[in-house]
């Protein structure tokens, strides 16, 4: 838990107000050598882009453990962006190639689980691409804005109407425990 | 054939060539209605007089490779292990990851015609989902797969008629992927809410050999230890990701789950994805480089802006 | 230390009544107002005790729930309190959901009996208000097992499928739609008084039928094990070589402990974000290595030692401490063990050791 | 609802750095009434929590005769201790306790006392030592043998000096071979070996031992050889605990719960336990 030092706490009213004017919370993991410098360039070039992005600087996109991305969602992010050097430009020569595999698999995995694809983004932004960075951010913010607040980890409310239909065999409304005949008993082969 | 094997194993045990046989055996169990049943379960034999307990039938479901990486069995000298063709892939992955010493292992290869599907301790009365694919791809009329890397092969097939085939996991997967994403998420929410975090999936998995699992770490604590929705979701997704490119699809996690969570759905999806994206099959070859420690220049990056 | 095993705690003189299924439904419908009702519900292929809104949701089938009744009193994960860092300091707030009146209907006698076992540890010396307030505010209507499941072995532990311990009212289906009702505790009597008109006096032939059914079921189920002898053996044989053998195959998951109605070990962890967080109490299992792992020391480094701990705890330590066996024979651990380990088999192996010790050569015992 | 697991709040009043990884925290109850009335006995422990990080078990290292505060020495080892080490004076921690049994101070009166401690194991003994020194005339000869891996690992350095200079205590310090510095004026050697050369009369004496398991094992053997009866050798055991109340089920050795029946045991009691600690 954080310690309160000097920063005043947000008052309840302010929080409510914020709730009404919902803005997406997006966590961005930027590689130190390219994308972070690119974002810097966008700043020094006075390029405007959406401010809903929270940047975390990492040494390389290869440093981004898929766990970081998942943890960001758990801790309340509405979207995640990971950005690194273009292939071939990696400061550590191959970090982003390894990262590319991880991200491709992670994206497929969490989208398979039902995560909205508008919430998770990857980009290559070089140190010279300040304008591309602003474009990427705007795109990401727009996409997450469309997707709305992420409530995937709130407890689902079950009722008859929202009952989930699943392919027949996945979730059989199974027989009661052991209400099978005894000769079908598990793992038996009679001697 | 089984008799030959037993004689050989007895000799090896007496001579000290092997220290323990891990195989399948049967034990008598008491039932509530007063009857006695025989349950097929793993047996650990270190005396030659016990070797006759070994059996090979359709209920030999458990993947025994799991035991190779457990601390308790590392001191037992050379281990003779009964291995189904699909379990052999798990051995390959462990070899690839330098977790086991092949020289310490005497593989008793089994000729398999499929094993029964089991879920929550119940025999479902048909073949396991993983077997259907295996049998079809062999292209042989007898639907037999033979281990190619065993020290000794039992050619006897389990007795009995072919049980009904049941449903292939791929068709489940297809059906599931057709659902809209919100429904899919709701489905997993529903499933993961049941999870107790008993870690049976982790304990039964031959690939989950880490001395300290990331879920047990506290500094930093990435994964909440509490079995609430967030913690469970993170645990299962992270586990699936850690198995990506390593899972050989033995189905143990789903079989052992006391809450019946269809974990193989995720794992099969990742097996398919890995094959689809990178043409990689885990456990195919003990010499191949692990999926995530290699790359190709032209790997798919269509998803990256 | 020689302690005897108690099996039953008699409460008030029980009343024998009779009630129809319809009347039970009527009572439940009425109770749903002002009370939380929990009952076995089948959902997603598993049967669990869940909160219900109407009597139709109840699954009256014979199978036991996958998870035991303990989760209603000792939840899998439960906030002990929440805290918040404010400018005035740390504010602690304890949960407020423990005072609601609750009724559990359809619990199996083994599960109810298990509560009387866990009561002992939660009441021992320090009273655990979290658990006990749930216990106090909950009325339990048990339902006798008239068709034991394949893996049940309550009779082997001198318990009965019609056991009254732990239930406030015990229903036994003696005919189609007709239940024999034992009103056991004061709480049960209070409920009976409130819904008197639904009950009728139990007819003698109903009671006779109930006794006959019990006799019939018990005659088939396993005969009692000599648990007292096993306890005596366990007293002396902590270091016996058989332990390593018994535990072979255990993969070290928590299935048996989590499904067990009497296992009560837990962990306390904090979870926080920003300025606020929660302290949670979660189930934990002695089968896990990190259960006893200290920074520099691990008293039970190997799986067989952890397995021994579980067996010892159930069949010796608990008796030493609380005079009760910490096992009710519900059979969950037997049926769902991933590696086919079997509690009954463990008991039998120990029994064999006793026989060996009596007839064969002496084993190396610790003094 | 008030319940067992709800901690009372305490403020860190003082932090003393003992070694590179041990800090001693002086804690004061926020509640003024509790501050005045709080009592405990030497050897008892408490559950101290850092909110957001968790709870951990610590023995109370201050003397019961000191009022208004308690002290705990914390070795950095896990999540909670790490978090504690990062805290500053004025920060709030949670406190539950005191739990467990205590040293048999009453029985020790009129007896000679031999304290043998290793490393951070001095913490529980410190409580007892100061407790005994408070009413010094009621005890016989007091011998304190304290050892650590190296000079840098010695805790309570100032108090060691006090004990060394006091005329009513016989104090010996030692470090493991290789751990000494050039200006080290104590002994060099492992605690059990150093103990052998001491002039200890087991008649009418109690030995109180605390330290790492290996040290305890050999020290107890040595004491046994000297003629101490197992009832007169006292130690405190350390097991992983979560609740401290005999509920969470992880600190048992046989049917003995370390949190309720311990942590203070005589060697005779330990001998009767199964060897699982």
């Amino acid at each position: 838990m954080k310690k309160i030092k000097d920063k005043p706490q947000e008052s309840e009213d302010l929080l409510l107000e914020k709730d009404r004017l919902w803005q997406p919370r997006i966590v961005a993991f930027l590689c130190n050598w390219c994308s972070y410098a690119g974002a810097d360039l966008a700043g020094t070039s006075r390029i405007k882009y959406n401010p809903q992005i929270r940047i975390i600087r990492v040494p390389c996109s290869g440093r981004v453990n898929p766990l970081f991305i998942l943890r960001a969602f758990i801790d309340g992010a509405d979207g995640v962006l990971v950005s690194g050097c273009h292939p071939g430009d990696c400061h550590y020569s191959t970090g982003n190639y390894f990262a590319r595999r991880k991200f491709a698999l992670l994206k497929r995995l969490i989208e398979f689980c039902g995560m909205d694809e508008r919430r998770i983004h990857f980009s290559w932004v070089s140190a010279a691409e300040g304008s591309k960075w602003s474009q990427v951010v705007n795109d990401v913010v727009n996409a997450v804005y469309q997707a709305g607040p992420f409530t995937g980890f709130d407890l689902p409310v079950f009722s008859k109407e929202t009952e989930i239909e699943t392919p027949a065999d996945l979730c059989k409304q199974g027989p009661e425990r052991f209400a099978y005949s005894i000769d079908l008993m598990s793992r038996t082969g009679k001697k | 054939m089984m008799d030959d094997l037993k004689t050989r194993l007895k000799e090896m045990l007496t001579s000290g060539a092997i220290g323990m046989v891990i195989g399948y055996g049967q034990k008598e169990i008491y039932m509530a209605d007063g009857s006695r049943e025989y349950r097929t379960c793993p047996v650990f034999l270190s005396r030659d007089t016990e070797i006759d307990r070994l059996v090979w039938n359709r209920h030999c479901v458990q993947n025994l490779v799991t035991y190779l990486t457990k601390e308790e069995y590392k001191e037992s000298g050379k281990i003779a292990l009964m291995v189904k063709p699909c379990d052999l892939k798990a051995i390959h992955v462990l070899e690839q990851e330098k977790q086991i010493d092949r020289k310490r292992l005497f593989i008793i290869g089994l000729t398999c015609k499929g094993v029964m599907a089991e879920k929550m301790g119940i025999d479902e009365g048909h073949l396991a989902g993983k077997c259907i694919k295996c049998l079809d791809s062999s292209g042989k009329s007898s639907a037999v797969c033979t281990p190619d890397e065993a020290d000794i092969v039992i050619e006897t097939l389990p007795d009995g008629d072919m049980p009904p085939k049941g449903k292939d996991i791929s068709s489940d997967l297809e059906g599931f992927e057709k659902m809209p994403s919100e429904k899919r998420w709701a489905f997993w929410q529903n499933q993961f809410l049941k999870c107790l975090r008993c870690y049976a999936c982790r304990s039964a998995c031959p690939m989950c050999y880490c001395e300290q699992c990331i879920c047990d770490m506290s500094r930093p604590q990435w994964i909440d230890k509490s079995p609430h929705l967030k913690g469970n979701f993170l645990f299962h997704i992270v586990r699936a990701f850690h198995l990506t490119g390593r899972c050989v699809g033995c189905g143990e996690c789903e079989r052992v789950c006391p809450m019946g969570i269809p974990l193989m759905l995720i794992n099969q999806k990742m097996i398919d994805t890995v094959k689809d994206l990178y043409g990689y099959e885990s456990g195919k070859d003990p010499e191949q480089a692990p999926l995530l420690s290699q790359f190709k220049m032209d790997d798919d990056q269509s998803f990256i802006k | 230390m020689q302690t005897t095993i108690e099996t039953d705690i008699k409460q008030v003189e029980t009343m024998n009544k009779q009630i129809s299924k319809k009347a039970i439904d009527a009572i439940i419908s009425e109770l749903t107002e002002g009370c939380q009702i929990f009952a076995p519900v089948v959902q997603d292929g598993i049967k669990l005790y869940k909160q219900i809104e109407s009597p139709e949701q109840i699954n009256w089938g014979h199978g036991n729930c996958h998870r035991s009744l303990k989760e209603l009193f000792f939840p899998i994960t439960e906030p002990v309190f929440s805290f918040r860092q404010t400018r005035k300091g740390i504010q602690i707030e304890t949960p407020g959901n423990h005072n609601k009146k609750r009724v559990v209907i359809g619990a199996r006698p083994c599960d109810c009996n298990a509560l009387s076992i866990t009561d002992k540890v939660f009441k021992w010396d320090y009273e655990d208000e979290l658990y006990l307030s749930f216990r106090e505010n909950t009325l339990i209507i048990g339902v006798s097992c008239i068709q034991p499941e394949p893996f049940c072995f309550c009779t082997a532990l001198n318990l009965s499928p019609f056991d009254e311990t732990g239930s406030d009212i015990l229903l036994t289906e003696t005919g189609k739609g007709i239940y024999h009702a034992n009103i056991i505790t004061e709480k049960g009597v209070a409920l009976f008084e409130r819904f008197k008109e639904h009950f009728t006096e139990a007819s003698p032939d109903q009671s006779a039928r109930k006794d006959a059914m019990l006799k019939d079921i018990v005659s088939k189920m396993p005969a009692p094990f000599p648990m007292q002898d096993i306890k005596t053996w366990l007293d002396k044989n902590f270091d016996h070589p058989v332990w390593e053998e018994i535990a072979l195959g255990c993969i070290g998951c928590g299935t048996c402990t989590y499904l067990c109605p009497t296992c009560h070990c837990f962990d306390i962890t904090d979870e926080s974000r920003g300025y606020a967080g929660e302290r949670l109490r979660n189930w934990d299992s002695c089968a896990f290595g990190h259960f006893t792992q200290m920074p520099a020391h691990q008293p039970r480094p190997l799986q067989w030692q952890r397995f021994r701990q579980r067996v010892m705890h159930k069949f010796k330590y608990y008796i030493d401490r609380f005079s009760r066996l910490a096992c009710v024979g519900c059979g969950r651990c037997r049926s769902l063990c991933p590696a086919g380990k079997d509690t009954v088999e463990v008991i039998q192996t120990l029994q064999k050791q006793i026989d060996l010790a009596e007839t064969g050569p002496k084993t190396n015992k610790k003094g | 609802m008030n319940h067992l697991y709800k901690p009372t709040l305490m403020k860190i009043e003082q932090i003393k750095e003992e070694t590179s990884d041990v800090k001693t925290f002086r804690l004061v109850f926020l509640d003024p009434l509790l501050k005045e009335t709080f009592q405990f006995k030497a050897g008892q422990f408490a559950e101290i929590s850092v909110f957001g990080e968790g709870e951990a078990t610590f023995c109370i290292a201050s003397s019961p005769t000191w009022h208004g505060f308690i002290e705990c020495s914390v070795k950095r080892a896990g999540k909670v201790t790490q978090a504690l080490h990062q805290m500053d004076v004025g920060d709030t921690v949670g406190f539950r306790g005191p739990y467990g049994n205590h040293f048999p101070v009453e029985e020790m009166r009129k007896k000679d006392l031999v304290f043998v401690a290793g490393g951070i194991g001095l913490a529980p003994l410190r409580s007892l030592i100061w407790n005994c020194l408070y009413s010094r005339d009621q005890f016989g000869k007091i011998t304190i043998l304290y050892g650590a891996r190296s000079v840098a690992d010695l805790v309570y350095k100032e108090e060691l000096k006090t004990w060394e200079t006091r005329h009513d205590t016989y104090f010996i310090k030692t470090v493991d071979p290789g751990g000494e510095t050039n200006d080290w004026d104590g002994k060099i050697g492992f605690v059990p070996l150093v103990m052998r050369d001491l002039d200890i009369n087991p008649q009418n004496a109690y030995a109180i031992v605390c330290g790492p398991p290996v040290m305890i094992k050999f020290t107890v053997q040595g004491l046994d050889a000297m003629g101490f009866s197992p009832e007169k050798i006292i130690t405190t055991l350390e097991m992983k605990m979560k609740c401290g109340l005999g509920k969470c089920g992880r600190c048992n050795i046989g049917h003995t719960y370390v949190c309720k029946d311990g942590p203070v045991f005589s060697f005779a009691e330990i001998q009767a336990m199964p060897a699982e600690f």
Side-chain angles (χ1 to χ4, degrees), chain C residues 207-220:
Chain C
S207 300
R209 198 170 139 65
K210 185 189 160 197
D211 293 341
M213 279 165 69
L214 177 63
K215 215 173 153 193
D216 179 49
I217 296 164
V218 171
S219 69
K220 287 183 200 149

Side-chain angles (χ1 to χ4, degrees), chain B residues 27 30 32 67 72 198 226 228, chain C residues 150 249 271 303 334 340 345 348:
Chain B
K27 66 182 177 194
Y30 273 69
Y67 291 110
E72 291 74 20
C198 68
S226 319
H228 48 43
Chain C
E271 274 168 22
Q303 196 58 42
R334 293 180 76 194
E345 191 199 2
Q348 285 170 329

